[in-house]
Amino acid sequence: MAEQDKYVLKQEQANLIVSRLATQILEKNVNAADVVLIGMRTGGIFLARLIQEKLRQLEGADIPIGVLDITLYRDDISTTDQHHFVRKTEIPFSLNDRVVVLVDDVLYTGRSTRAALDAMMDFGRPKRVQLAVLIDRGERELPIRPDFVGKKISIDESERVEVLFDETGTLLGAVIQQRERTPS
Amino acid sequence: MSQPEKKVWERKDLLGISDLDVWEIELILDTAESFLEISQRDIKKVPTLRGKTVITVFYEASTRTRVSFELAAKRLSADTVNISASTSSAQKGETLIDTARNLEAMAPDAIIMRHPIPGSSDLLGRHVRSSIINAGDGAHEHPTQALLDAMTIRQVKRNIRGLNISIIGDIAHSRVARSNIHCLTKLGASVTIAGPATMIPLEAEKMGVRVVRTLGEAIQGADVIMMLRIQRERQGKVLFPSDRDYSRFFGLNMENMKDAKDDVTIMHPGPINRGVEISPEVADGPFSVILEQVTNGVASRMAILYLLIGKGGSDEAAA
């Protein structure tokens, strides 16, 4: 992390937000037994695990968690020269008739969410799909709307938000950096 | 696992293992592992190669490899066309290039070819813009077989480095053996080969392998035993007296398996000649991963198609 990075979320604040997201998920889904969490690689996985832990504390519920890699569903595979490494998708349970909460760390253009929604449909027919994000930076390019938002920010196109986790999955906060490459 | 310098897959063709770097082999294997899950879904399809066209051209008989490639392409949403060509028209180099130019005129993204002449896919690769995938060129190479074998060994043994791997059978006529020797030695395994003297290539040691004379020596201490099919169609002459004779000296069975390591893994590229190079009890036994090899074949071919025509090739994830 460079010196000039500025925090948009400090560690304490970020973790309070995760607790709030978990509470809101419970509020909206009275029957927690229906809920499954799907973390979108890579930041969404850590965030989903934190939400899962909070839900366990709040409700005593053991919410299943899956991992989704959207690479194969991207809409820019053949139009950009960027190379995308395919990582594993692990959804070891049926999504039929479940409430799927998609979890991502940052929501921006909505294109990743579109890809994730398409992937979901290949895994079954969820009763409902909801979207939880830690940071919404706006500027959507598709008609996608999150259900649970940690914090809304507005930043320049040349900047990017990085949500920071350590190796154990502890949430350290979020910073704004100068972007090196085109949006993903 | 990002490396200091980002490496990007830039190859147009997959012609053989001999010219691949270790990181490229590992990239294919890592990618293939991610593709395994797709074939286990109810809906076995992802949209990644939508609008791409893949042509398979087989100048030699094949069930497994052709079906495997076709399923791999279809599960990635590519359109596939299969062409069977007669062996006779393939004997002339001119004709092959003509065929290639005609195929090229239909704008495919990848051409997968099996051909009896070594080097034929290299030739094709130089004459067409499409990606060429070698599905076996004579006794030269069969790279996708070696990659699915390496993937299978990694699944069972976790790491290939340091393993003792014995390849047994007709090494001289086997493109599977050749590609596997390149692949496994590059990945750090110690490879031993064994077979009748008429089936061991001259100067085999130059490929970095140990040559032993008997099946017993090859079994002893091996972590993986790879049996090769006796390929009657590829031999110009009789290289051993009879099937029974071959089986007696180089056939893997329950009796000689007693000298194998407790956790040995048995592999065979198929189709197997039951009772010749491998007994049914061993082929269907608990140490055999022959069907896992077939399953992994689809995943590794998906990975190769993705890397070659889906632009999927860096060794680290984009943001």
Short mmCIF file of all heavy atoms in Angstrom, two decimals, chain A residues 111-139:
data_model
loop_
_atom_site.label_atom_id
_atom_site.label_comp_id
_atom_site.label_asym_id
_atom_site.label_seq_id
_atom_site.Cartn_x
_atom_site.Cartn_y
_atom_site.Cartn_z
N ARG A 111 -21.35 -5.09 -13.99
CA ARG A 111 -21.09 -6.16 -14.96
C ARG A 111 -20.71 -7.48 -14.27
O ARG A 111 -21.08 -8.56 -14.73
CB ARG A 111 -20.01 -5.74 -15.96
CG ARG A 111 -20.56 -4.73 -16.94
CD ARG A 111 -19.53 -4.23 -17.94
NE ARG A 111 -20.07 -3.11 -18.68
CZ ARG A 111 -20.78 -3.22 -19.81
NH1 ARG A 111 -21.03 -4.40 -20.32
NH2 ARG A 111 -21.25 -2.15 -20.41
N SER A 112 -19.96 -7.40 -13.18
CA SER A 112 -19.62 -8.62 -12.44
C SER A 112 -20.89 -9.24 -11.86
O SER A 112 -21.05 -10.46 -11.86
CB SER A 112 -18.67 -8.32 -11.29
OG SER A 112 -17.46 -7.83 -11.80
N THR A 113 -21.79 -8.38 -11.37
CA THR A 113 -23.04 -8.89 -10.79
C THR A 113 -23.87 -9.58 -11.88
O THR A 113 -24.44 -10.64 -11.66
CB THR A 113 -23.86 -7.74 -10.17
OG1 THR A 113 -23.00 -6.98 -9.33
CG2 THR A 113 -25.02 -8.28 -9.36
N ARG A 114 -23.93 -8.98 -13.06
CA ARG A 114 -24.66 -9.59 -14.18
C ARG A 114 -24.09 -10.99 -14.45
O ARG A 114 -24.84 -11.97 -14.61
CB ARG A 114 -24.52 -8.70 -15.42
CG ARG A 114 -25.44 -8.99 -16.59
CD ARG A 114 -25.06 -10.18 -17.44
NE ARG A 114 -23.65 -10.14 -17.86
CZ ARG A 114 -22.97 -11.20 -18.29
NH1 ARG A 114 -23.55 -12.38 -18.39
NH2 ARG A 114 -21.71 -11.08 -18.62
N ALA A 115 -22.76 -11.08 -14.49
CA ALA A 115 -22.11 -12.36 -14.74
C ALA A 115 -22.47 -13.36 -13.63
O ALA A 115 -22.78 -14.53 -13.90
CB ALA A 115 -20.60 -12.18 -14.82
N ALA A 116 -22.47 -12.88 -12.38
CA ALA A 116 -22.78 -13.76 -11.25
C ALA A 116 -24.23 -14.25 -11.32
O ALA A 116 -24.51 -15.41 -11.03
CB ALA A 116 -22.54 -13.02 -9.93
N LEU A 117 -25.14 -13.37 -11.74
CA LEU A 117 -26.55 -13.76 -11.85
C LEU A 117 -26.71 -14.86 -12.90
O LEU A 117 -27.41 -15.84 -12.69
CB LEU A 117 -27.41 -12.55 -12.22
CG LEU A 117 -27.64 -11.54 -11.10
CD1 LEU A 117 -28.31 -10.28 -11.63
CD2 LEU A 117 -28.48 -12.16 -9.99
N ASP A 118 -26.03 -14.70 -14.03
CA ASP A 118 -26.08 -15.73 -15.07
C ASP A 118 -25.54 -17.05 -14.54
O ASP A 118 -26.11 -18.12 -14.79
CB ASP A 118 -25.26 -15.31 -16.30
CG ASP A 118 -26.06 -14.39 -17.21
OD1 ASP A 118 -27.24 -14.13 -16.88
OD2 ASP A 118 -25.52 -13.95 -18.24
N ALA A 119 -24.45 -16.99 -13.80
CA ALA A 119 -23.86 -18.20 -13.24
C ALA A 119 -24.84 -18.87 -12.28
O ALA A 119 -25.03 -20.09 -12.32
CB ALA A 119 -22.55 -17.87 -12.53
N MET A 120 -25.50 -18.06 -11.42
CA MET A 120 -26.48 -18.59 -10.47
C MET A 120 -27.52 -19.45 -11.18
O MET A 120 -27.88 -20.53 -10.73
CB MET A 120 -27.24 -17.44 -9.79
CG MET A 120 -26.51 -16.66 -8.74
SD MET A 120 -25.94 -17.69 -7.41
CE MET A 120 -24.36 -18.12 -8.02
N MET A 121 -28.00 -18.93 -12.30
CA MET A 121 -29.07 -19.63 -13.01
C MET A 121 -28.60 -20.98 -13.56
O MET A 121 -29.40 -21.87 -13.77
CB MET A 121 -29.61 -18.75 -14.15
CG MET A 121 -30.16 -17.41 -13.68
SD MET A 121 -31.35 -17.59 -12.31
CE MET A 121 -31.12 -16.03 -11.46
N ASP A 122 -27.29 -21.09 -13.80
CA ASP A 122 -26.76 -22.38 -14.24
C ASP A 122 -26.66 -23.38 -13.10
O ASP A 122 -26.42 -24.57 -13.31
CB ASP A 122 -25.37 -22.19 -14.88
CG ASP A 122 -25.49 -21.66 -16.30
OD1 ASP A 122 -26.62 -21.52 -16.79
OD2 ASP A 122 -24.45 -21.38 -16.91
N PHE A 123 -26.82 -22.89 -11.88
CA PHE A 123 -26.72 -23.78 -10.72
C PHE A 123 -28.09 -24.15 -10.16
O PHE A 123 -28.20 -24.81 -9.15
CB PHE A 123 -25.88 -23.13 -9.61
CG PHE A 123 -24.42 -23.31 -9.83
CD1 PHE A 123 -23.69 -22.36 -10.53
CD2 PHE A 123 -23.77 -24.45 -9.37
CE1 PHE A 123 -22.34 -22.55 -10.75
CE2 PHE A 123 -22.43 -24.62 -9.58
CZ PHE A 123 -21.70 -23.67 -10.28
N GLY A 124 -29.14 -23.67 -10.79
CA GLY A 124 -30.46 -24.01 -10.29
C GLY A 124 -31.40 -22.82 -10.36
O GLY A 124 -31.15 -21.86 -11.10
N ARG A 125 -32.48 -22.90 -9.59
CA ARG A 125 -33.46 -21.83 -9.62
C ARG A 125 -33.70 -21.32 -8.21
O ARG A 125 -34.56 -21.82 -7.49
CB ARG A 125 -34.77 -22.33 -10.22
CG ARG A 125 -35.77 -21.22 -10.46
CD ARG A 125 -37.04 -21.74 -11.10
NE ARG A 125 -37.94 -20.64 -11.44
CZ ARG A 125 -38.74 -20.05 -10.57
NH1 ARG A 125 -38.77 -20.44 -9.31
NH2 ARG A 125 -39.52 -19.06 -10.97
N PRO A 126 -32.90 -20.36 -7.78
CA PRO A 126 -33.08 -19.82 -6.44
C PRO A 126 -34.45 -19.15 -6.31
O PRO A 126 -34.99 -18.66 -7.29
CB PRO A 126 -31.97 -18.75 -6.34
CG PRO A 126 -31.06 -18.98 -7.49
CD PRO A 126 -31.83 -19.69 -8.54
N LYS A 127 -34.98 -19.17 -5.08
CA LYS A 127 -36.26 -18.51 -4.85
C LYS A 127 -36.10 -17.00 -5.03
O LYS A 127 -36.96 -16.33 -5.57
CB LYS A 127 -36.73 -18.82 -3.42
CG LYS A 127 -38.07 -18.23 -3.05
CD LYS A 127 -38.72 -19.00 -1.92
CE LYS A 127 -38.03 -18.69 -0.58
NZ LYS A 127 -38.59 -19.51 0.51
N ARG A 128 -34.95 -16.50 -4.60
CA ARG A 128 -34.70 -15.06 -4.64
C ARG A 128 -33.19 -14.88 -4.62
O ARG A 128 -32.49 -15.67 -4.00
CB ARG A 128 -35.31 -14.45 -3.38
CG ARG A 128 -35.47 -12.97 -3.40
CD ARG A 128 -36.46 -12.54 -2.32
NE ARG A 128 -37.85 -12.77 -2.69
CZ ARG A 128 -38.80 -13.14 -1.83
NH1 ARG A 128 -38.52 -13.37 -0.58
NH2 ARG A 128 -40.04 -13.28 -2.24
N VAL A 129 -32.72 -13.87 -5.31
CA VAL A 129 -31.30 -13.53 -5.23
C VAL A 129 -31.19 -12.10 -4.72
O VAL A 129 -31.84 -11.20 -5.24
CB VAL A 129 -30.58 -13.66 -6.59
CG1 VAL A 129 -29.10 -13.31 -6.45
CG2 VAL A 129 -30.72 -15.07 -7.15
N GLN A 130 -30.38 -11.91 -3.69
CA GLN A 130 -30.16 -10.57 -3.15
C GLN A 130 -28.67 -10.26 -3.25
O GLN A 130 -27.85 -11.17 -3.32
CB GLN A 130 -30.63 -10.51 -1.69
CG GLN A 130 -32.12 -10.78 -1.55
CD GLN A 130 -32.54 -11.08 -0.12
OE1 GLN A 130 -31.71 -11.24 0.77
NE2 GLN A 130 -33.84 -11.18 0.09
N LEU A 131 -28.37 -8.97 -3.26
CA LEU A 131 -26.97 -8.55 -3.43
C LEU A 131 -26.51 -7.73 -2.23
O LEU A 131 -27.14 -6.73 -1.88
CB LEU A 131 -26.84 -7.72 -4.72
CG LEU A 131 -25.47 -7.12 -5.04
CD1 LEU A 131 -24.41 -8.20 -5.21
CD2 LEU A 131 -25.56 -6.26 -6.31
N ALA A 132 -25.44 -8.17 -1.60
CA ALA A 132 -24.86 -7.44 -0.48
C ALA A 132 -23.45 -6.98 -0.84
O ALA A 132 -22.64 -7.80 -1.29
CB ALA A 132 -24.82 -8.33 0.76
N VAL A 133 -23.18 -5.68 -0.68
CA VAL A 133 -21.83 -5.18 -0.98
C VAL A 133 -21.33 -4.29 0.15
O VAL A 133 -22.12 -3.63 0.83
CB VAL A 133 -21.80 -4.37 -2.31
CG1 VAL A 133 -22.20 -5.26 -3.48
CG2 VAL A 133 -22.68 -3.14 -2.25
N LEU A 134 -20.03 -4.31 0.35
CA LEU A 134 -19.46 -3.44 1.39
C LEU A 134 -19.44 -2.00 0.90
O LEU A 134 -19.82 -1.08 1.63
CB LEU A 134 -18.04 -3.91 1.73
CG LEU A 134 -17.38 -3.20 2.91
CD1 LEU A 134 -18.12 -3.48 4.21
CD2 LEU A 134 -15.93 -3.62 3.03
N ILE A 135 -19.01 -1.82 -0.36
CA ILE A 135 -18.91 -0.45 -0.89
C ILE A 135 -19.61 -0.37 -2.24
O ILE A 135 -19.40 -1.20 -3.12
CB ILE A 135 -17.42 -0.04 -1.04
CG1 ILE A 135 -16.82 0.14 0.35
CG2 ILE A 135 -17.28 1.24 -1.86
CD1 ILE A 135 -15.35 0.36 0.33
N ASP A 136 -20.46 0.65 -2.38
CA ASP A 136 -21.09 0.93 -3.68
C ASP A 136 -20.49 2.23 -4.20
O ASP A 136 -20.68 3.28 -3.61
CB ASP A 136 -22.61 1.06 -3.48
CG ASP A 136 -23.32 1.39 -4.80
OD1 ASP A 136 -22.63 1.50 -5.84
OD2 ASP A 136 -24.56 1.55 -4.77
N ARG A 137 -19.75 2.12 -5.31
CA ARG A 137 -19.14 3.34 -5.83
C ARG A 137 -19.94 3.94 -6.99
O ARG A 137 -19.49 4.86 -7.68
CB ARG A 137 -17.68 3.12 -6.21
CG ARG A 137 -17.45 2.09 -7.30
CD ARG A 137 -16.01 2.05 -7.75
NE ARG A 137 -15.66 3.25 -8.54
CZ ARG A 137 -14.51 3.41 -9.18
NH1 ARG A 137 -13.59 2.47 -9.12
NH2 ARG A 137 -14.27 4.50 -9.88
N GLY A 138 -21.16 3.44 -7.23
CA GLY A 138 -22.04 4.04 -8.22
C GLY A 138 -21.59 3.82 -9.65
O GLY A 138 -20.86 2.89 -9.94
N GLU A 139 -22.04 4.67 -10.55
CA GLU A 139 -21.66 4.63 -11.97
C GLU A 139 -22.01 3.29 -12.63
O GLU A 139 -21.20 2.70 -13.34
CB GLU A 139 -20.15 4.91 -12.15
CG GLU A 139 -19.69 6.23 -11.61
CD GLU A 139 -20.31 7.42 -12.34
OE1 GLU A 139 -20.60 7.31 -13.55
OE2 GLU A 139 -20.53 8.45 -11.68
#
